[in-house]
Structure formats: structure tokens, C-alpha cells
Amino acid sequence: VGFRRAVASLIVARVALVIAPSVAAADPLADKRAEAARIAAQLDELGAKESRLAEQYDGAILASQQAGTDVAVAGRAVASADARAGAANTELRKMALSAYMNGGHAPTMSAGPTIDPSMALAYQQVVAGSQVRTLDIARAARKDQAAKQVALQSAKARADQTVASIASLRAQVTHAEDALRQNQAAVTS
């Protein structure tokens, strides 16, 4: 911005020096000074616009980097949730195989002469509790897995939106820079 203002000031000074010798022509001189002031104001305005757009562009770049980080974090969370769901499914398969091998029932202790029937009942309760916990863990893992997938998709959508924003801002910055250069070229020629 400082550079642009300096260029605008130099242009105004140059126009003033060219116009100053013709003191006799007061009206044309006033017209040229007014035009120089208008052009300087226009250059300042374009320079300020270009600076604002450049700051927005820089902000969008930072947002894009954060969005990329968010996508990576969400991807790792999905992988972790997938691993937990896979482990829970493995336990469910083991439980189903055990139930199949035991005729659809939980494995039992055979009540022989040395086995206390109350111990056999306690064993069955522990096995049943373990099965319920395994089912609960599997349900929670699936629910967590689905939530992590949604979070990942959301992070990807934000990243895509940020990339689109960057492209739009880049085009606006380029347009503002071109307009500034054109005005500067028109004044210096």
C-alpha cells in the first residue's frame, strides 16, 4: 500500500510539474490538478481494494491449510473407529461361533461331582454379561464409526469450499492488480 501511494504521489507531482509552467492558463491548470487528484484518489482506492483482497486471500490460504489438517485428523479418527468396529465384529463372530458350537447356547460348565451348581450358574451369568458387553461395544463402535464418517465428510466439504473461495479470491486479486497497473500506465504515459 505504501509503495502504491508513493507511486500515486509521484504521478501527481509529475503532473503538477508539467502543468506548473503554464500559470497563464489558470482554467486548464485547475482542470489538470483536479484530474490529477481524481486519478490519485482512484489509485489509492484500487490499491486499498487490492490490499483487502490480498489479505482475504491470505486468510483463505490459512483456512485451507486448517481444513486440510481437519481432514487428516478426521481421517485418522475414522481409521481408529474402523479398527474398533472391526475388533468388536471379530468378538461378535467368536461369540456366534461359540453359540453355534454349543447348540445356540452360551458355553456352560459341566456339573460334575466337583463343580458346585452355584458356580456353574455364576459362570453362565459372567458369560451372558460378557456377551451383552460385547454387543454394547459393537453397537457403540458402529455408532462412533458413523459419526466419524460424517465428521470426515463435513471436513472434506469445508476444505472443498475453502479451495473454491481461494480460486475466487485469486481471480479478484488478479483483476484488482490489473486495474491498478492499467491506471498507473495510463497516468505515466
Side-chain angles (χ1 to χ4, degrees):
V1 174
F3 173 75
R4 288 182 188 88
R5 287 194 181 152
V7 168
S9 296
L10 287 173
I11 292 169
V12 169
R14 183 175 174 198
V15 169
L17 286 175
V18 168
I19 296 171
S22 60
V23 176
D27 283 341
L29 180 61
D31 290 345
K32 293 294 182 182
R33 283 184 182 157
E35 183 180 352
R38 182 188 59 77
I39 291 170
Q42 188 177 18
L43 287 172
D44 283 345
E45 181 184 325
L46 286 172
K49 179 180 179 181
E50 189 268 338
S51 292
R52 281 191 311 273
L53 289 171
E55 287 177 20
Q56 289 176 1
Y57 177 78
D58 291 344
I61 292 293
L62 292 175
S64 174
Q65 291 168 347
Q66 182 61 47
T69 299
D70 292 348
V71 168
V73 167
R76 287 192 296 276
V78 166
S80 177
D82 287 348
R84 286 191 303 277
N89 286 337
T90 298
E91 286 301 313
L92 285 176
R93 281 192 291 280
K94 286 180 185 177
M95 199 171 65
L97 180 62
S98 176
Y100 174 77
M101 299 296 284
N102 292 303
H105 301 289
T108 59
M109 295 177 67
S110 19
T114 60
I115 302 295
D116 181 2
S118 63
M119 288 298 288
L121 180 60
Y123 174 74
Q124 285 179 334
Q125 289 172 342
V126 167
V127 169
S130 174
Q131 290 172 339
V132 169
R133 277 190 305 281
T134 300
L135 286 170
D136 288 344
I137 288 169
R139 282 187 202 109
R142 280 192 219 106
K143 186 175 180 180
D144 184 49
Q145 185 181 30
K148 300 298 186 207
Q149 285 286 350
V150 168
L152 176 61
Q153 294 306 319
S154 176
K156 285 180 178 179
R158 283 191 310 275
D160 290 345
Q161 185 178 20
T162 302
V163 168
S165 173
I166 287 172
S168 172
L169 284 169
R170 183 181 297 137
Q172 290 177 33
V173 167
T174 300
H175 179 71
E177 288 172 343
D178 289 345
L180 186 60
R181 274 193 288 279
Q182 287 173 357
N183 274 352
Q184 287 172 344
V187 169
T188 57
S189 59

